[in-house]
């Protein structure tokens, strides 16, 4: 595709869609030519608020009349599979918010469709595009290899229940619907996994609410994943290198410690300060994908499936048990 403006059709008009629209308007490489939502009045209000073209009744009408170059699916987790499957039916490149499917099986079905039709896809793991993550890895690599990785992916499940925004099915599959944000960082920072040993238990949630895993990566690094859902805690990542360590706590703030135990701040790029962190570079990468340019860090449906399968390995589908996979 040449350098002309890329035409995007939006499916979904919630909070995340609004954050994407802010980025699209700043990017100047793309424009929103249409949008649709399950409730037409909601789509109308969204279009008016953000200065967008009038909404369409459904995806088919939007594709036929607005003629987008690509589609972006940003609906609730339990509606993602249905909306994504329909979006893929048009053969256009598709960006899907995470999770594209609420279970590994649903994600696999979408991946088969994309493979069969040779459709370019991207799943929204925006934390892969944090500028401070890139800078943190550069600090580690400047000194030598990554020795170890700690990820704490604690979930505020009580607040999730209290919010009343999510269906029972979504909460039942919360490890796929939300925890894959932190689980995916195991793949992002550590690379391919050669061995995993995990523990899971349930004090209340049927799918488990206490998780830990010891991980060995093919590059020789070792990793630890911990997630406690019923206790106060936040998301945290620590990278261990040769005479240096890097910590992100919360994930949007970074510091690194040198061999003299002196700490230094890792400052984000301006776009991560202007917008929801990672969203600008994520959008730029999606536009590069559409334009057949080289892209890094993108998770397509197959990549998203690997992170969901890793989540399944960590949960083990067995409560109060221990397992190993190689």
């Amino acid at each position: 595709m040449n350098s002309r403006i890329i035409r995007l059709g939006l499916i979904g008009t919630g909070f995340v869609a609004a954050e994407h629209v802010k980025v699209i308007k700043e990017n100047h490489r793309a424009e929103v030519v249409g949008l649709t939502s399950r409730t037409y009045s909601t789509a109308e209000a969204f279009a008016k608020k953000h200065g967008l073209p009038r909404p369409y009744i459904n995806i088919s009408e939007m594709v036929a009349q607005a003629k987008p170059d690509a589609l972006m699916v940003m609906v609730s987790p339990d509606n993602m599979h249905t909306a994504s499957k329909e979006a893929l039916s048009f053969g256009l490149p598709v960006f899907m918010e995470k999770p594209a499917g609420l279970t590994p099986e649903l994600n696999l079905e979408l991946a088969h469709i994309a493979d069969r039709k040779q459709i370019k896809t991207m799943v929204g793991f925006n934390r892969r595009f944090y500028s401070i993550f890139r800078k943190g890895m550069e600090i580690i690599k400047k000194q030598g290899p990554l020795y170890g990785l700690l990820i704490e992916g604690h979930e505020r499940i009580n607040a999730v229940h209290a919010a009343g925004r999510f269906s029972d099915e979504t909460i039942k599959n919360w490890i796929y619907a939300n925890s894959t944000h932190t689980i995916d960082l195991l793949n992002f920072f550590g690379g391919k996994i050669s061995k995993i040993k995990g523990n899971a238990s349930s004090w209340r949630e049927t799918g488990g609410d206490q998780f830990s895993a010891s991980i060995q990566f093919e590059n020789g690094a070792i990793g630890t994943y911990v997630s406690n859902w019923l206790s106060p805690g936040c998301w945290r990542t620590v990278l261990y290198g040769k005479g240096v360590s890097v910590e992100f706590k919360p994930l949007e703030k970074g510091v690194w410690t040198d061999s003299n135990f002196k700490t230094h701040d890792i400052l984000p790029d301006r776009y991560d300060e202007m917008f929801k962190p990672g969203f600008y570079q994520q959008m730029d990468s999606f536009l590069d994908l559409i334009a057949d340019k080289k892209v890094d860090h993108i998770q397509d449906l197959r990549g998203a499936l690997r992170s969901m399968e890793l989540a399944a390995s960590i949960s083990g589908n067995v409560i109060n048990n221990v397992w190993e996979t190689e």
Side-chain angles (χ1 to χ4, degrees):
M1 183 175 291
N2 57 33
S3 60
R4 70 179 177 83
I5 299 297
I6 294 173
R7 301 165 59 84
L8 299 175
L10 308 186
I11 303 165
T13 53
F15 165 78
V16 173
E19 296 299 314
H20 283 296
V21 168
K22 294 176 187 176
V23 169
I24 294 167
K25 288 189 171 184
E26 176 69 22
N27 191 283
H28 304 304
R29 295 176 58 197
E31 63 178 344
V32 177
V33 296
L35 69 147
T36 185
S37 181
R38 284 196 304 171
T39 306
Y40 188 79
S41 60
T42 301
E44 278 187 313
F46 185 91
K48 183 177 180 180
K49 179 178 179 179
H50 297 281
L52 301 176
R54 71 165 182 87
Y56 292 90
I57 297 296
N58 52 46
I59 303 175
S60 294
E61 183 184 72
M62 180 175 69
V63 171
Q65 297 185 25
K67 295 181 170 48
D69 299 312
L71 300 172
M72 298 184 67
V73 185
M74 302 160 291
V75 299
S76 61
D78 50 343
N79 289 311
M80 276 298 304
H81 173 261
T82 300
S84 296
K85 187 174 182 179
E86 183 176 358
L88 289 169
S89 70
F90 298 98
L92 299 171
V94 180
F95 173 92
M96 291 153 277
E97 271 300 339
K98 177 203 67 60
L102 198 50
T103 66
E105 292 77 15
L106 292 175
N107 195 118
L108 178 60
E109 180 187 359
L110 297 175
H112 281 322
I113 294 171
D115 290 346
R116 186 171 65 251
K117 295 188 174 185
Q118 296 185 310
I119 299 171
K120 298 174 182 177
T121 64
M122 180 176 180
V123 181
F125 288 91
N126 64 296
R127 287 163 181 83
R128 284 177 162 254
F129 300 95
Y130 279 14
S131 56
I132 59 172
F133 282 7
R134 182 189 73 248
K135 294 176 182 181
M137 282 300 292
E138 288 172 354
I139 291 168
I140 293 289
K141 290 178 179 178
K142 186 177 180 180
Q143 302 301 319
L146 177 70
Y147 291 153
L149 168 62
L150 166 66
I151 293 180
E152 296 182 32
H154 310 299
E155 295 286 351
R156 300 173 182 177
I157 198 67
N158 290 329
V160 172
H161 282 287
R165 294 174 44 222
F166 302 100
S167 68
D168 291 343
E169 189 66 16
T170 296
I171 295 176
K172 175 184 174 182
N173 290 287
W174 196 249
I175 195 167
Y176 303 121
N178 202 63
S179 295
T180 44
H181 265 308
T182 51
I183 291 171
D184 178 66
L185 295 180
L186 291 166
N187 291 319
F188 176 72
F189 286 118
K192 291 184 178 180
I193 293 171
S194 58
K195 186 177 181 180
I196 179 171
K197 179 178 181 180
N199 271 297
S201 65
S202 173
W203 291 87
R204 191 186 68 195
E205 302 299 317
T206 57
D209 46 45
Q210 313 294 315
F211 306 97
S212 69
S214 178
I215 299 153
Q216 186 171 349
F217 298 95
E218 289 185 1
N219 59 19
I222 59 172
T224 302
Y225 180 84
V226 181
S227 183
N228 304 106
W229 292 16
L230 304 178
S231 309
C234 69
W235 287 357
R236 172 176 176 251
T237 292
V238 186
L239 311 177
Y240 301 97
K242 185 179 181 181
V244 64
S245 63
V246 175
E247 180 180 28
F248 304 103
K249 180 186 179 181
L251 297 185
E252 293 72 28
K253 293 185 180 295
V255 298
W256 67 279
T257 304
D258 62 28
S259 58
N260 295 316
F261 293 88
K262 182 178 179 180
T263 59
H264 313 264
D265 290 334
I266 303 175
L267 300 179
D269 291 348
R270 68 184 186 95
Y271 285 123
D272 279 351
E273 295 181 316
M274 292 173 61
F275 305 107
K276 188 174 176 63
F279 267 44
Y280 188 92
Q281 187 57 51
Q282 177 180 253
M283 178 60 66
D284 226 25
S285 295
F286 181 52
L287 299 179
D288 284 344
L289 177 70
I290 297 168
D292 296 322
K293 296 182 179 179
K294 182 179 182 298
V295 291
D296 295 314
H297 307 317
I298 277 183
Q299 282 285 59
D300 60 8
L301 281 166
R302 286 289 172 182
L305 179 62
R306 285 192 293 272
S307 291
M308 295 190 84
E309 289 174 338
L310 180 54
S313 294
I314 290 173
S315 67
N317 296 319
V318 178
I319 305 305
N320 296 315
N321 209 339
V322 180
W323 59 93
E324 291 190 29
T325 60
E326 295 189 33

